[in-house]
Amino acid sequence: MVRTPLTPWERERGERFGALLREARGERSMVEVAAVAGVSAETLRKIETGRAPTPSFFTIAALAFALDLSLDELAGACALPEDDAALSA
Amino acid sequence: MVRTPLTPWERERGERFGALLREARGERSMVEVAAVAGVSAETLRKIETGRAPTPSFFTIAALAFALDLSLDELAGACALPEDDAALSA
DNA sequence: TCTTATACCGGTATTTGTATCACGGTCGAT
DNA sequence: ATCGACCGTGATACAAATACCGGTATAAGA
């Protein structure tokens, strides 16, 4: 095996990650946010739906800037699955 | 053209980005940092030398954690080439 | 009803990231 | 001089990111 396929955990992390971005997007349309970030709407949609679980750093950086999010908080939030427990608590 | 090839500016940004990581690594060996971050040493080498100009977000997040770096500062630093001017000012 | 806007999905194409292997170079120690 | 630990480069291989296309569905508005 040359390149390790994404593990189920990585895919789940991608789903949580995308959910965070979608939540942060709020009422704004995918097209608008994607245009501001300089990525295609298709790419944003795939990231939000978790079908692109490990996007590139600068793609996320641009989206985080467009959505006014902190990269550190973003990484910390989806790295910990027990966050939902902390949120519901 | 389906996927846009990386622009020269993106490649230069990758070089600056890698230089930042290398500087942050300091005296520590590539092998050690890569092991802590959970990536291969070859991958870290490619990122540091700019031969992998757009690495994945979580790879960078793991490296930043291993190097005790802020993702926001990292993104801001290499996104603006005129930063050195701002820093020296 | 018809149009428009938005989002989802499957397929396709191309580039890139990630990892392994092999080889060579440098430096310090034995 | 040989050994070992790094670092660097090239080739190779495979999986995934990105982007574009066409189609579908839904909801709001003329």
Short mmCIF file of all heavy atoms in Angstrom, two decimals, chain B residues 2-3 6 11 42-43 46 53-54 59, chain C residues 12-21:
data_model
loop_
_atom_site.label_atom_id
_atom_site.label_comp_id
_atom_site.label_asym_id
_atom_site.label_seq_id
_atom_site.Cartn_x
_atom_site.Cartn_y
_atom_site.Cartn_z
N VAL B 2 -9.75 20.64 -16.18
CA VAL B 2 -10.68 20.27 -15.12
C VAL B 2 -10.17 20.74 -13.77
O VAL B 2 -10.88 21.45 -13.05
CB VAL B 2 -10.89 18.75 -15.11
CG1 VAL B 2 -11.95 18.39 -14.12
CG2 VAL B 2 -11.26 18.29 -16.50
N ARG B 3 -8.95 20.35 -13.46
CA ARG B 3 -8.40 20.85 -12.21
C ARG B 3 -7.30 21.85 -12.54
O ARG B 3 -6.32 21.50 -13.20
CB ARG B 3 -7.83 19.71 -11.37
CG ARG B 3 -7.12 20.25 -10.16
CD ARG B 3 -6.62 19.16 -9.25
NE ARG B 3 -6.03 19.77 -8.07
CZ ARG B 3 -5.69 19.10 -7.00
NH1 ARG B 3 -5.88 17.82 -6.96
NH2 ARG B 3 -5.16 19.72 -5.98
N LEU B 6 -1.41 24.24 -10.24
CA LEU B 6 -0.97 25.23 -9.27
C LEU B 6 -0.28 26.39 -9.99
O LEU B 6 0.55 26.17 -10.87
CB LEU B 6 -0.01 24.59 -8.26
CG LEU B 6 -0.64 23.54 -7.35
CD1 LEU B 6 0.38 23.04 -6.35
CD2 LEU B 6 -1.85 24.09 -6.64
N ARG B 11 2.97 28.07 -5.78
CA ARG B 11 4.21 27.33 -5.51
C ARG B 11 5.15 28.14 -4.65
O ARG B 11 5.82 27.61 -3.75
CB ARG B 11 4.87 26.94 -6.83
CG ARG B 11 3.99 26.01 -7.67
CD ARG B 11 4.77 25.38 -8.82
NE ARG B 11 3.93 24.45 -9.57
CZ ARG B 11 3.72 23.20 -9.23
NH1 ARG B 11 4.30 22.71 -8.15
NH2 ARG B 11 2.94 22.41 -9.95
N GLU B 42 9.31 11.70 4.63
CA GLU B 42 9.38 12.17 3.25
C GLU B 42 8.32 13.23 2.98
O GLU B 42 8.57 14.21 2.28
CB GLU B 42 9.22 11.00 2.28
CG GLU B 42 10.44 10.11 2.18
CD GLU B 42 10.59 9.23 3.39
OE1 GLU B 42 9.66 9.17 4.20
OE2 GLU B 42 11.66 8.60 3.52
N THR B 43 7.15 13.04 3.55
CA THR B 43 6.10 14.03 3.36
C THR B 43 6.50 15.35 4.01
O THR B 43 6.35 16.42 3.41
CB THR B 43 4.78 13.53 3.97
OG1 THR B 43 4.38 12.35 3.26
CG2 THR B 43 3.71 14.57 3.87
N LYS B 46 9.00 17.03 1.82
CA LYS B 46 8.40 17.65 0.65
C LYS B 46 7.71 18.96 1.01
O LYS B 46 7.78 19.94 0.27
CB LYS B 46 7.41 16.69 -0.01
CG LYS B 46 8.07 15.60 -0.81
CD LYS B 46 7.05 14.87 -1.67
CE LYS B 46 7.73 13.81 -2.53
NZ LYS B 46 6.76 13.13 -3.41
N PRO B 53 3.23 21.91 -2.31
CA PRO B 53 2.88 23.29 -1.97
C PRO B 53 1.51 23.46 -1.34
O PRO B 53 1.25 24.49 -0.71
CB PRO B 53 2.94 24.03 -3.32
CG PRO B 53 3.60 23.08 -4.28
CD PRO B 53 3.27 21.72 -3.77
N THR B 54 0.64 22.47 -1.51
CA THR B 54 -0.71 22.62 -0.96
C THR B 54 -1.08 21.37 -0.17
O THR B 54 -1.95 20.61 -0.58
CB THR B 54 -1.75 22.84 -2.09
OG1 THR B 54 -1.73 21.70 -2.96
CG2 THR B 54 -1.44 24.08 -2.87
N THR B 59 -2.98 17.45 7.92
CA THR B 59 -1.53 17.23 7.97
C THR B 59 -0.84 18.45 8.57
O THR B 59 0.01 18.32 9.46
CB THR B 59 -0.99 16.96 6.56
OG1 THR B 59 -1.57 15.75 6.06
CG2 THR B 59 0.52 16.82 6.59
P DT C 12 -18.10 7.83 -16.39
OP1 DT C 12 -18.40 7.23 -17.69
OP2 DT C 12 -17.51 7.02 -15.30
"O5'" DT C 12 -17.16 9.09 -16.61
"C5'" DT C 12 -17.64 10.20 -17.36
"C4'" DT C 12 -16.59 11.32 -17.38
"O4'" DT C 12 -16.68 12.08 -16.15
"C3'" DT C 12 -15.15 10.83 -17.49
"O3'" DT C 12 -14.53 11.43 -18.60
"C2'" DT C 12 -14.51 11.26 -16.17
"C1'" DT C 12 -15.37 12.41 -15.74
N1 DT C 12 -15.41 12.66 -14.28
C2 DT C 12 -15.13 13.91 -13.80
O2 DT C 12 -14.85 14.83 -14.52
N3 DT C 12 -15.19 14.03 -12.43
C4 DT C 12 -15.50 13.04 -11.51
O4 DT C 12 -15.51 13.28 -10.32
C5 DT C 12 -15.78 11.75 -12.07
C7 DT C 12 -16.12 10.61 -11.17
C6 DT C 12 -15.73 11.62 -13.42
P DA C 13 -13.07 10.89 -19.08
OP1 DA C 13 -13.11 10.75 -20.54
OP2 DA C 13 -12.67 9.76 -18.23
"O5'" DA C 13 -12.13 12.12 -18.72
"C5'" DA C 13 -12.57 13.45 -18.97
"C4'" DA C 13 -11.60 14.46 -18.35
"O4'" DA C 13 -11.94 14.66 -16.96
"C3'" DA C 13 -10.14 14.03 -18.38
"O3'" DA C 13 -9.35 15.11 -18.80
"C2'" DA C 13 -9.84 13.63 -16.94
"C1'" DA C 13 -10.79 14.52 -16.16
N9 DA C 13 -11.20 13.96 -14.87
C8 DA C 13 -11.66 12.70 -14.62
N7 DA C 13 -11.95 12.47 -13.37
C5 DA C 13 -11.66 13.67 -12.74
C6 DA C 13 -11.76 14.08 -11.40
N6 DA C 13 -12.18 13.30 -10.42
N1 DA C 13 -11.39 15.35 -11.11
C2 DA C 13 -10.95 16.14 -12.10
N3 DA C 13 -10.82 15.86 -13.40
C4 DA C 13 -11.20 14.59 -13.65
P DT C 14 -7.86 14.79 -19.35
OP1 DT C 14 -7.73 15.51 -20.63
OP2 DT C 14 -7.60 13.34 -19.25
"O5'" DT C 14 -6.93 15.52 -18.29
"C5'" DT C 14 -7.26 16.84 -17.87
"C4'" DT C 14 -6.70 17.12 -16.51
"O4'" DT C 14 -7.44 16.40 -15.51
"C3'" DT C 14 -5.23 16.71 -16.30
"O3'" DT C 14 -4.47 17.89 -16.16
"C2'" DT C 14 -5.24 15.85 -15.04
"C1'" DT C 14 -6.58 16.20 -14.41
N1 DT C 14 -7.16 15.16 -13.55
C2 DT C 14 -7.43 15.46 -12.24
O2 DT C 14 -7.22 16.55 -11.75
N3 DT C 14 -7.98 14.44 -11.49
C4 DT C 14 -8.26 13.17 -11.94
O4 DT C 14 -8.74 12.33 -11.18
C5 DT C 14 -7.95 12.91 -13.32
C7 DT C 14 -8.21 11.56 -13.91
C6 DT C 14 -7.42 13.91 -14.06
P DT C 15 -2.86 17.77 -15.98
OP1 DT C 15 -2.27 18.81 -16.82
OP2 DT C 15 -2.46 16.36 -16.12
"O5'" DT C 15 -2.66 18.18 -14.44
"C5'" DT C 15 -3.44 19.24 -13.90
"C4'" DT C 15 -3.39 19.21 -12.38
"O4'" DT C 15 -4.15 18.09 -11.88
"C3'" DT C 15 -1.97 19.05 -11.80
"O3'" DT C 15 -1.73 20.09 -10.90
"C2'" DT C 15 -1.99 17.66 -11.14
"C1'" DT C 15 -3.46 17.45 -10.84
N1 DT C 15 -3.88 16.02 -10.82
C2 DT C 15 -4.51 15.51 -9.72
O2 DT C 15 -4.75 16.17 -8.73
N3 DT C 15 -4.86 14.18 -9.81
C4 DT C 15 -4.64 13.34 -10.88
O4 DT C 15 -4.99 12.18 -10.85
C5 DT C 15 -3.98 13.95 -12.02
C7 DT C 15 -3.70 13.13 -13.23
C6 DT C 15 -3.63 15.25 -11.93
P DT C 16 -0.24 20.28 -10.33
OP1 DT C 16 -0.01 21.73 -10.15
OP2 DT C 16 0.69 19.46 -11.11
"O5'" DT C 16 -0.39 19.63 -8.88
"C5'" DT C 16 -1.42 20.08 -8.04
"C4'" DT C 16 -1.67 19.09 -6.93
"O4'" DT C 16 -2.11 17.83 -7.48
"C3'" DT C 16 -0.44 18.76 -6.08
"O3'" DT C 16 -0.60 19.30 -4.78
"C2'" DT C 16 -0.37 17.23 -6.08
"C1'" DT C 16 -1.75 16.82 -6.58
N1 DT C 16 -1.75 15.51 -7.29
C2 DT C 16 -2.40 14.45 -6.74
O2 DT C 16 -2.98 14.51 -5.67
N3 DT C 16 -2.35 13.30 -7.47
C4 DT C 16 -1.73 13.11 -8.70
O4 DT C 16 -1.76 12.04 -9.26
C5 DT C 16 -1.07 14.27 -9.23
C7 DT C 16 -0.38 14.19 -10.55
C6 DT C 16 -1.11 15.41 -8.51
P DG C 17 0.61 19.09 -3.70
OP1 DG C 17 0.68 20.31 -2.90
OP2 DG C 17 1.82 18.59 -4.39
"O5'" DG C 17 0.06 17.91 -2.78
"C5'" DG C 17 -1.19 18.06 -2.15
"C4'" DG C 17 -1.52 16.82 -1.31
"O4'" DG C 17 -1.67 15.67 -2.17
"C3'" DG C 17 -0.47 16.45 -0.28
"O3'" DG C 17 -1.10 16.04 0.92
"C2'" DG C 17 0.31 15.31 -0.94
"C1'" DG C 17 -0.73 14.68 -1.85
N9 DG C 17 -0.17 14.17 -3.12
C8 DG C 17 0.56 14.89 -4.02
N7 DG C 17 0.91 14.18 -5.07
C5 DG C 17 0.37 12.93 -4.84
C6 DG C 17 0.43 11.76 -5.62
O6 DG C 17 0.97 11.58 -6.71
N1 DG C 17 -0.25 10.71 -5.01
C2 DG C 17 -0.90 10.79 -3.80
N2 DG C 17 -1.49 9.68 -3.38
N3 DG C 17 -0.96 11.88 -3.06
C4 DG C 17 -0.30 12.92 -3.64
P DT C 18 -0.18 15.84 2.22
OP1 DT C 18 -1.06 16.08 3.36
OP2 DT C 18 1.07 16.61 2.06
"O5'" DT C 18 0.17 14.29 2.19
"C5'" DT C 18 -0.89 13.34 2.24
"C4'" DT C 18 -0.36 11.95 1.98
"O4'" DT C 18 0.02 11.84 0.60
"C3'" DT C 18 0.88 11.58 2.80
"O3'" DT C 18 0.55 10.57 3.73
"C2'" DT C 18 1.90 11.12 1.74
"C1'" DT C 18 1.04 10.88 0.51
N1 DT C 18 1.73 11.08 -0.78
C2 DT C 18 1.79 10.04 -1.69
O2 DT C 18 1.30 8.94 -1.46
N3 DT C 18 2.44 10.32 -2.86
C4 DT C 18 3.04 11.52 -3.21
O4 DT C 18 3.60 11.64 -4.30
C5 DT C 18 2.95 12.56 -2.23
C7 DT C 18 3.55 13.91 -2.51
C6 DT C 18 2.29 12.29 -1.08
P DA C 19 1.69 10.07 4.78
OP1 DA C 19 1.00 9.52 5.94
OP2 DA C 19 2.69 11.14 4.94
"O5'" DA C 19 2.38 8.85 4.01
"C5'" DA C 19 1.57 7.79 3.54
"C4'" DA C 19 2.41 6.83 2.72
"O4'" DA C 19 2.72 7.44 1.45
"C3'" DA C 19 3.74 6.43 3.35
"O3'" DA C 19 3.76 5.04 3.61
"C2'" DA C 19 4.80 6.82 2.30
"C1'" DA C 19 3.98 6.97 1.05
N9 DA C 19 4.52 7.96 0.11
C8 DA C 19 4.77 9.28 0.34
N7 DA C 19 5.27 9.92 -0.69
C5 DA C 19 5.36 8.94 -1.68
C6 DA C 19 5.82 8.97 -3.01
N6 DA C 19 6.29 10.07 -3.60
N1 DA C 19 5.78 7.81 -3.71
C2 DA C 19 5.31 6.71 -3.10
N3 DA C 19 4.85 6.56 -1.86
C4 DA C 19 4.90 7.73 -1.19
P DT C 20 5.00 4.40 4.45
OP1 DT C 20 4.39 3.39 5.33
OP2 DT C 20 5.82 5.48 5.01
"O5'" DT C 20 5.86 3.65 3.34
"C5'" DT C 20 5.21 2.83 2.39
"C4'" DT C 20 6.14 2.46 1.25
"O4'" DT C 20 6.32 3.61 0.40
"C3'" DT C 20 7.55 2.06 1.71
"O3'" DT C 20 7.81 0.73 1.30
"C2'" DT C 20 8.48 3.06 1.02
"C1'" DT C 20 7.63 3.57 -0.13
N1 DT C 20 7.96 4.94 -0.58
C2 DT C 20 8.27 5.16 -1.90
O2 DT C 20 8.28 4.26 -2.73
N3 DT C 20 8.56 6.46 -2.21
C4 DT C 20 8.58 7.55 -1.36
O4 DT C 20 8.86 8.66 -1.75
C5 DT C 20 8.25 7.25 0.01
C7 DT C 20 8.24 8.35 1.02
C6 DT C 20 7.96 5.98 0.34
P DC C 21 9.22 0.02 1.75
OP1 DC C 21 8.94 -1.42 1.80
OP2 DC C 21 9.75 0.72 2.94
"O5'" DC C 21 10.20 0.30 0.53
"C5'" DC C 21 9.79 -0.06 -0.79
"C4'" DC C 21 10.82 0.42 -1.82
"O4'" DC C 21 10.70 1.85 -1.96
"C3'" DC C 21 12.27 0.13 -1.43
"O3'" DC C 21 12.87 -0.71 -2.41
"C2'" DC C 21 12.92 1.51 -1.38
"C1'" DC C 21 11.97 2.37 -2.21
N1 DC C 21 11.96 3.82 -1.83
C2 DC C 21 12.23 4.78 -2.78
O2 DC C 21 12.47 4.44 -3.94
N3 DC C 21 12.21 6.09 -2.42
C4 DC C 21 11.93 6.43 -1.17
N4 DC C 21 11.93 7.73 -0.86
C5 DC C 21 11.65 5.45 -0.17
C6 DC C 21 11.67 4.16 -0.54
#
